[in-house]
């Protein structure tokens, strides 16, 4: 299967790099509209069945989702 360069770029953006902070990762991927949509869906899915005792992880995911949502709206990213 061959994907176009656009998909390869999005996959690169959504792939977290070794040694990269989570905030740095989220900020970097926010430059790519496809990566933003994929990560937002991933965050929602991850939080949907997250146990209550993982509160700090939920907060991190909620913060990331809020940040990406703002980027999405501000840039009027296409669907």
């Amino acid at each position: 299967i061959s994907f176009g360069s656009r998909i390869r770029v999005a996959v690169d953006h959504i792939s977290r790099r070794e040694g990269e902070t989570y905030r740095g990762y989220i900020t970097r991927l926010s430059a790519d509209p496809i990566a933003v949509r994929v990560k937002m869906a991933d965050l929602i899915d991850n939080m949907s069945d997250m146990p209550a005792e993982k509160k700090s992880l939920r907060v991190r995911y909620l913060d990331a989702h809020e940040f990406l949502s703002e980027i999405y709206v501000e840039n009027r990213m296409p669907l």
Side-chain angles (χ1 to χ4, degrees):
I1 298 176
S2 176
F3 295 102
S5 64
R6 183 69 197 95
I7 298 303
R8 282 193 302 274
V9 168
V11 169
D12 180 59
H13 276 96
I14 204 161
S15 300
R16 190 168 173 190
R17 296 187 170 95
E18 188 175 334
E20 187 172 40
T21 67
Y22 188 72
R23 186 58 172 186
Y25 161 64
I26 294 297
T27 300
R28 183 177 52 77
L29 80 80
S30 72
D32 187 280
I34 294 172
V36 168
R37 290 192 304 269
V38 170
K39 189 60 183 175
M40 287 174 66
D42 180 52
L43 290 165
I44 290 169
D45 181 60
N46 289 343
M47 289 186 290
S48 69
D49 59 356
M50 185 176 286
E53 62 270 7
K54 295 199 173 196
K55 184 178 178 182
S56 64
L57 187 58
R58 178 179 291 279
V59 168
R60 182 167 94 159
Y61 286 178
L62 283 169
D63 288 345
H65 191 274
E66 181 179 332
F67 174 77
L68 294 173
S69 295
E70 290 172 9
I71 296 293
Y72 189 86
V73 170
E74 285 174 11
N75 293 308
R76 297 185 178 120
M77 293 181 169
L79 294 176

